[in-house]
Amino acid sequence: MNAKIDVIKKKRIQLTLIFIVILLVVFGAKTLTEFSFAEGIMSIPGTLIWMGANLIPNAEAMENFPKVLEKLWETIVLSVISTTTAGIAALFFALFGSKTTKINQPIAIFSRFIASVFRNIPVVAWALVLVISFGHNVVTGYLALFFTTFGFLVRAFMETIDEASVDSVEALNATGATYFQMVFRGVIPDTLPQMISWVFFMIDTNIRNATLVGLLTGTGIGYIFDLYYKRLDYPTVGLITVAIIVVVIVIELISNKVRRLIL
Amino acid sequence: MQVSETSTRETIQVRNGKIQIRTFNRSNFILQLTLSVLLIFTVVAPFFLDYKSIDLQRAIFYTFDNLKMMFLQPALTQVTLGAALYQILITLALAFLSTIIGAFISFFLAIACAKNLAPSFLSNSIITFNSIVRAIPTVLWVLIFAIVAGLGSVAAVLGMTLHTIAYLTKAYSESFEEIDDGMIEALRATGAKWWHIIIHVVLPQTSSYMISWTFLRFEINYGVAIAMGAAAAAGGIGFELFMSSSFYYDLHEVGAITYFALIIAIILELISVRIKNSLIGK
């Protein structure tokens, strides 16, 4: 009986300690960043009122609509082609890095390392470095998205291959299939639906990232948002925001539909 | 035996003297259609972009040169080592604040959103709200908040918190939905109150998933916080990165800062993988 109470008591003390530590870190982070909860809560209603009053696109803003559409198209193209090309590159690295399909250990470690570096360098850093040599150009946006997508997809594909295809690899190896037969007859058909699903996930993510990259590299919808934001032309900013919402939701719906059909 | 033999014979299709391995089915067809559409789009769409005047050969040459300066000769010139570490700490603090506030709000929203705990109109309206929040990129939220709150930590934390809420509410409510209905029903039958069910069934059963998701989001928020520093001038290491590349053109420093950011990101990823493995198991 006593022992039982002790366990509960111990757990309670543990929980309280964790709670206190989290509170201390929150306080530390708050002082460090000069964040104020009061100010944060206060500015939410203010922002909502402001959004209602200023972000509604008016007739004047609609005149910019063709320009917005053109940049939106640029953003969509950038995010789709960077994802597909990164997907093709990532497939090879994932095959070499995966536990079941690797050729040898050094290459596997090497491709995992490359992927980890590409994934963890923030997309902003890529954009800022590339913009110095490529200038304000779509190629900069493409490459910045390509690198991060590549890093992420290698990891996702590798996990997919590891999970899905151990049995078929074993069976094909037993029949004396060559490496390429094993990969193209066994591994890829088994894992393709899952991989396509990851590709769609990344297209979705990249539309959002392309906006961020666009702000820095002067391409696509991010650039035009920044332009009108700095001009204080808020109705057009509202129009751009609505356009982004529509595109993201449409792409999400399409990818959900396709995912449900193929998985 | 007889039955299975005939049924196998029926399903084998021969064309041009070869046995067809794959037979037509809907999901296969959709898969190939999707693949071909993506491939055609990738090949055709780049021709419709405006490249302005770009000298690709020179640009690639410069990029390699720049990358060499960045990664092989990193050096701190404008900021001191202490300042760089302090800025990293600020970025981590921004990420931490928005993750904790977001996680706290998400917990309650997720209870209201889980289909087995809440009425469906409530859960549907939260899902709709979340998808609209998620559709606007974080940087735009931060810039919108910045108009009223001013550029700085308040706008950054608010914008990042919104996305954290949208992400974690979905993750939490999905793990709530996996709880065994029998346990909830059993407690309800004993006359337990609503918060009894939350504390004694929902929390213990899902806490490990929730911790793992929350840390994963913290990892994401760290990356986002770097981006906010650069694109929305919210401070932290991202802002230093932006200054050294766009104002001083000091690629050695960009390299050094990138190394700092990279090391922290890799540490966070390792911790997150370890948490996931130890809590959820392999």
Side-chain angles (χ1 to χ4, degrees):
Chain A
M1 200 59 190
N2 262 335
K4 214 175 193 177
I5 291 170
D6 274 355
V7 168
I8 293 172
K9 223 181 197 174
K10 210 174 154 193
K11 211 172 174 189
R12 223 165 244 175
I13 291 171
Q14 226 171 15
L15 273 179
T16 327
L17 273 179
I18 291 174
F19 193 67
I20 289 172
V21 167
I22 288 179
L23 268 186
L24 278 178
V25 180
V26 167
F27 186 74
K30 180 174 131 23
T31 8
L32 206 61
T33 57
E34 293 164 9
F35 176 76
S36 126
F37 282 100
E39 211 181 306
I41 294 168
M42 290 284 280
S43 55
I44 291 173
T47 306
L48 285 180
I49 293 167
W50 182 87
M51 278 169 81
N54 293 297
L55 276 186
I56 312 282
N58 56 17
E60 239 173 280
M62 289 313 281
E63 279 172 26
N64 295 320
F65 195 55
K67 253 192 260 176
V68 174
L69 274 186
E70 188 194 324
K71 290 291 172 188
L72 201 59
W73 168 247
E74 204 171 283
T75 300
I76 296 171
V77 170
L78 273 187
S79 37
V80 173
I81 63 174
S82 59
T83 313
T84 46
T85 44
I88 295 168
L91 180 61
F92 289 100
F93 275 79
L95 282 172
F96 295 148
S98 150
K99 266 177 243 152
T100 42
T101 57
K102 68 181 174 196
I103 299 175
N104 60 34
Q105 194 62 29
I107 295 182
I109 290 173
F110 175 74
S111 65
R112 274 163 187 263
F113 174 74
I114 290 278
S116 172
V117 167
F118 274 99
R119 181 171 61 243
N120 283 314
I121 292 181
V123 65
V124 182
W126 284 123
L128 288 175
V129 173
L130 291 164
V131 83
I132 293 175
S133 36
F134 282 90
H136 292 283
N137 197 294
V138 281
V139 180
T140 317
Y142 166 78
L143 286 175
L145 290 175
F146 175 88
F147 288 148
T148 38
T149 312
F150 165 75
F152 182 85
L153 282 181
V154 172
R155 183 184 177 185
F157 284 1
M158 215 143 60
E159 275 170 21
T160 313
I161 293 172
D162 279 346
E163 266 171 35
S165 55
V166 181
D167 292 342
S168 61
V169 167
E170 216 169 85
L172 277 167
N173 275 341
T175 62
T178 63
Y179 180 77
F180 287 101
Q181 285 171 334
M182 177 191 84
V183 167
F184 288 105
R185 299 282 164 197
V187 176
I188 290 182
D190 264 7
T191 50
L192 202 55
Q194 198 70 45
M195 285 181 183
I196 295 285
S197 162
W198 278 117
V199 165
F200 271 108
F201 172 78
M202 257 347 256
I203 289 176
D204 210 19
T205 314
N206 272 348
I207 294 262
R208 283 177 261 260
N209 278 347
T211 315
L212 171 68
V213 171
L215 265 169
L216 297 164
T217 62
T219 52
I221 199 78
Y223 165 71
I224 206 168
F225 182 93
D226 198 37
L227 191 73
Y228 287 105
Y229 182 83
K230 279 178 181 154
R231 276 191 200 164
L232 311 180
D233 182 355
Y234 293 126
T236 312
V237 167
L239 176 71
I240 295 166
T241 314
V242 171
I244 294 175
I245 295 178
V246 171
V247 167
V248 170
I249 288 181
V250 165
I251 287 190
E252 212 173 88
L253 288 179
I254 294 174
S255 66
N256 280 345
K257 182 102 189 163
V258 172
R259 238 179 287 181
R260 211 171 309 137
L261 284 172
I262 60 176
L263 280 180
Chain B
M1 230 35 215
Q2 196 70 37
V3 178
S4 74
E5 252 173 48
T6 48
S7 67
T8 336
R9 203 172 301 137
E10 269 171 351
T11 52
I12 288 178
Q13 291 183 342
V14 183
R15 191 189 284 169
N16 298 335
K18 281 184 179 169
I19 296 173
Q20 289 218 295
I21 302 172
R22 271 188 222 140
T23 46
F24 181 84
N25 68 38
R26 188 147 161 256
S27 70
N28 237 331
F29 173 70
I30 300 276
L31 186 69
Q32 310 224 313
L33 189 74
T34 322
L35 269 182
S36 357
V37 168
L38 280 178
L39 275 182
I40 291 169
F41 190 84
T42 310
V43 174
V44 174
F47 290 107
F48 294 102
L49 288 181
D50 174 19
Y51 294 95
K52 295 170 192 160
S53 54
I54 179 169
D55 185 349
L56 209 59
Q57 207 181 341
R58 251 183 48 173
I60 290 171
F61 173 73
Y62 274 135
T63 305
F64 278 111
D65 206 39
N66 289 341
L67 288 178
K68 198 188 87 193
M69 272 201 270
M70 253 180 86
F71 288 113
L72 300 181
Q73 306 150 336
L76 287 172
T77 43
Q78 306 289 339
V79 283
T80 56
L81 180 67
L85 290 178
Y86 180 71
Q87 297 295 342
I88 288 232
L89 218 59
I90 286 188
T91 303
L92 280 172
L94 286 175
F96 182 80
L97 275 180
S98 40
T99 313
I100 284 290
I101 301 171
F104 184 73
I105 298 171
S106 301
F107 176 68
F108 294 103
L109 276 182
I111 292 172
C113 184
K115 294 229 156 63
N116 52 350
L117 300 172
S120 64
F121 78 91
L122 202 59
S123 93
N124 284 338
S125 46
I126 290 174
I127 290 172
T128 317
F129 167 76
N130 275 346
S131 57
I132 291 174
V133 165
R134 259 169 9 106
I136 302 180
T138 319
V139 62
L140 300 197
W141 274 121
V142 172
L143 288 175
I144 289 171
F145 277 120
I147 293 168
V148 172
L151 275 176
S153 59
V154 174
V157 170
L158 284 179
M160 283 160 66
T161 305
L162 265 183
H163 266 242
T164 310
I165 291 173
Y167 179 93
L168 287 181
T169 304
K170 186 160 184 267
Y172 289 175
S173 68
E174 267 166 23
S175 57
F176 291 169
E177 277 161 16
E178 276 169 25
I179 297 172
D180 187 9
D181 281 338
M183 292 182 84
I184 298 175
E185 232 167 80
L187 265 184
R188 272 206 188 121
T190 62
K193 290 196 182 70
W194 177 82
W195 58 271
H196 275 140
I197 297 175
I198 301 296
I199 291 178
H200 293 289
V201 179
V202 174
L203 261 181
Q205 291 218 349
T206 55
S207 60
S208 55
Y209 281 95
M210 277 168 37
I211 291 171
S212 150
W213 278 114
T214 311
F215 199 85
L216 187 70
R217 185 65 214 189
F218 177 61
E219 200 191 321
I220 297 172
N221 274 353
Y222 169 71
V224 177
I226 295 177
M228 289 316 108
I237 197 72
F239 184 64
E240 297 295 332
L241 196 66
F242 178 70
M243 290 303 279
S244 55
S245 74
S246 299
F247 278 86
Y248 307 125
Y249 294 104
D250 183 352
L251 281 171
H252 304 295
E253 189 166 270
V254 171
I257 293 175
T258 308
Y259 271 125
F260 281 130
L262 180 66
I263 291 167
I264 302 283
I266 289 180
I267 293 173
L268 289 181
E269 192 183 309
L270 290 178
I271 297 175
S272 148
V273 169
R274 181 161 290 185
I275 288 181
K276 194 175 146 200
N277 285 345
S278 69
L279 287 177
I280 299 171
K282 282 218 146 185

